[in-house]
């Protein structure tokens, strides 16, 4: 895997770099399960020279609460996490890139931090994981070589959930092909 230092990039430079591959947040759309964007919209974004910053209030709150979610995860699990200042690119599949939210110290694993509306609490019921989030996490495991990844979600005003997803090379092969 190749590391690309993003610590000194401004948002515009980072958005341009994201256009150079399929990231975890693109993976669900490419697979047809993202409720907010389609495979076609990802394709159009990647081939366009325009740098679209399609930010909205929910995305802003998610970024603002990411540190809180990571802290709650550490409190609940006892695991230590650290923020990465790199974007990662798969050497085996260079079109695959990853902007992982946190790395787990002492494990070959990562943490993806999410926030969700109270109206989506049913999507997390009985150990469930929204499909686009699971694909995002599996994409990150493939790029990073993680053995597993944690997904922590603050369901606003309702609950805090943690899921662990173990790597499944057969599923990865199906997603990549």
């Amino acid at each position: 895997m190749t590391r690309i230092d993003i610590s000194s990039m401004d948002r515009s430079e980072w958005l341009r770099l994201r256009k150079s591959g399929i990231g975890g947040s693109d993976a669900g759309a490419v697979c047809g399960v993202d409720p907010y964007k389609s495979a076609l919209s990802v394709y159009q974004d990647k081939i366009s020279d325009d740098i679209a910053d399609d930010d909205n209030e929910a995305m802003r709150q998610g970024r603002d609460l990411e540190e809180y979610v990571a802290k709650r995860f550490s409190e609940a699990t006892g695991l230590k996490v650290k923020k990465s200042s790199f974007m990662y690119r798969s050497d085996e599949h260079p079109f695959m890139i990853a902007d992982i939210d946190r790395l787990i110290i002492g494990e070959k694993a990562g943490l993806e931090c999410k926030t969700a509306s109270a109206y989506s609490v049913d999507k997390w019921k009985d150990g469930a994981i929204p499909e686009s989030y699971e694909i995002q996490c599996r994409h990150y495991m493939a790029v990073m070589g993680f053995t597993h990844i944690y997904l922590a979600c603050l369901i606003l005003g309702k609950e805090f959930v943690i899921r662990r997803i173990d790597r499944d090379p057969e599923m990865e092969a199906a997603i990549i092909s």
Side-chain angles (χ1 to χ4, degrees):
M1 143 195 52
T2 303
R3 297 181 336 162
I4 305 158
D5 188 350
I6 59 171
S7 62
S8 61
M9 288 185 185
D10 64 27
R11 185 159 174 83
S12 176
E13 291 172 300
W14 176 76
L15 288 168
R16 182 165 303 285
L17 181 60
R18 283 178 48 116
K19 291 172 80 67
S20 71
I22 302 297
S25 59
D26 300 323
V30 169
C31 292
V33 298
D34 188 310
Y36 305 108
K37 61 184 176 179
S38 68
L40 181 59
S41 68
V42 171
Y43 173 74
Q44 289 173 329
D45 174 59
K46 300 300 178 182
I47 65 168
S48 166
D49 288 333
D50 294 337
I51 301 296
D53 193 352
D54 298 331
D55 208 12
N56 60 43
E57 186 60 26
M59 292 166 76
R60 168 70 192 267
Q61 288 180 21
R63 280 193 313 277
D64 289 351
L65 290 170
E66 184 180 301
E67 183 64 32
Y68 174 77
V69 172
K71 183 178 180 198
R72 287 280 306 269
F73 170 83
S74 288
E75 288 173 0
T77 64
L79 297 171
K80 294 184 190 241
V81 300
K82 72 175 184 176
K83 192 168 175 72
S84 173
S85 58
F86 295 96
M87 178 183 288
Y88 302 88
R89 182 176 303 279
S90 169
D91 291 332
E92 184 179 356
H93 304 288
F95 66 91
M96 295 176 70
I97 57 176
D99 275 307
I100 189 79
D101 289 338
R102 297 290 186 283
L103 302 171
I104 306 294
I105 297 171
E107 294 185 18
K108 196 167 182 159
L111 169 65
E112 186 60 23
C113 302
K114 299 292 184 189
T115 54
S117 159
Y119 297 112
S120 67
V121 71
D122 60 315
K123 294 177 181 158
W124 297 89
K125 194 178 246 180
D126 300 323
I129 300 170
E131 206 170 15
S132 63
Y133 292 164
E134 183 166 352
I135 290 171
Q136 179 179 15
C137 289
R138 292 194 180 281
H139 178 93
Y140 289 155
M141 285 189 283
V143 173
M144 304 293 294
F146 291 153
T147 58
H148 57 284
I149 193 165
Y150 298 94
L151 177 62
C153 183
L154 174 65
I155 303 171
L156 299 170
K158 292 289 184 182
E159 65 183 301
F160 185 75
V161 298
I162 298 171
R163 304 286 187 260
R164 176 184 161 137
I165 303 169
D166 291 310
R167 191 163 183 183
D168 181 344
E170 289 179 22
M171 183 179 286
E172 278 178 29
I175 291 170
I176 292 169
S177 59

